[in-house]
Amino acid sequence: MSTTEEFMAALQQAESSQDPAPLVALHAEEVTLQNLTQKTWQGTDGAQAFWSAYLSDFETIRSEFTNHSEHGGLGVMEWTATGRLKGGRPIEYRGVSLIEIKDGKVAAFRTYYDSAAFVTPAQS
């Protein structure tokens, strides 16, 4: 199993259990994590905070991977996530995540996704 495949399985496990520990264990000590914000999380403490914050946004969430590849230390994952936000509103959104891999660990994580799915439409 590739590191990318291990990462996908660990993410799905974290989503179903609400426990990011097995996912965080795949991250290198000097890992950096980025999403659509301007913030960068660093180190395994940063990974714990990043994944805990991600999970806390949802009542339920499940990422289904539609495509993935790993070559030359780069893992690419295309996915669709479906679930319910805190408060019960359904959500479904697509994205792409990249992992840089060094010595079998995630050295960097970057994710790009449809952030409009998180916006509540204005009432007319």
Side-chain angles (χ1 to χ4, degrees):
M1 180 181 287
S2 71
T3 302
T4 301
E5 291 166 333
E6 288 179 44
F7 182 91
M8 293 185 307
L11 176 58
Q12 289 176 326
Q13 179 184 358
E15 289 172 335
S16 67
S17 70
Q18 292 291 303
D19 178 9
L23 180 59
V24 172
L26 295 176
H27 293 66
E29 289 204 20
E30 300 299 321
V31 67
T32 58
L33 300 95
Q34 297 175 309
N35 60 16
L36 295 179
T37 68
Q38 294 300 312
K39 182 173 180 170
T40 298
W41 290 260
Q42 296 182 318
T44 52
D45 287 344
Q48 177 71 37
F50 179 92
W51 292 113
S52 293
Y54 164 74
L55 294 172
S56 74
D57 288 338
F58 304 99
E59 286 181 7
T60 62
I61 193 67
R62 171 81 177 173
S63 297
E64 293 295 333
F65 296 93
T66 55
N67 194 11
H68 72 279
S69 180
E70 182 175 315
H71 181 73
L74 180 65
V76 178
M77 297 159 278
E78 292 179 278
W79 47 264
T80 300
T82 306
R84 291 196 172 282
L85 291 167
K86 293 286 184 188
R89 185 168 69 86
I91 189 164
E92 183 173 1
Y93 65 108
R94 295 185 309 166
V96 174
S97 297
L98 309 171
I99 56 174
E100 292 179 22
I101 302 159
K102 185 175 180 184
D103 299 326
K105 293 278 192 176
V106 177
F109 172 83
R110 294 182 299 280
T111 191
Y112 308 93
Y113 52 89
D114 177 14
S115 62
F118 290 86
V119 177
T120 304
Q123 299 297 319
S124 50

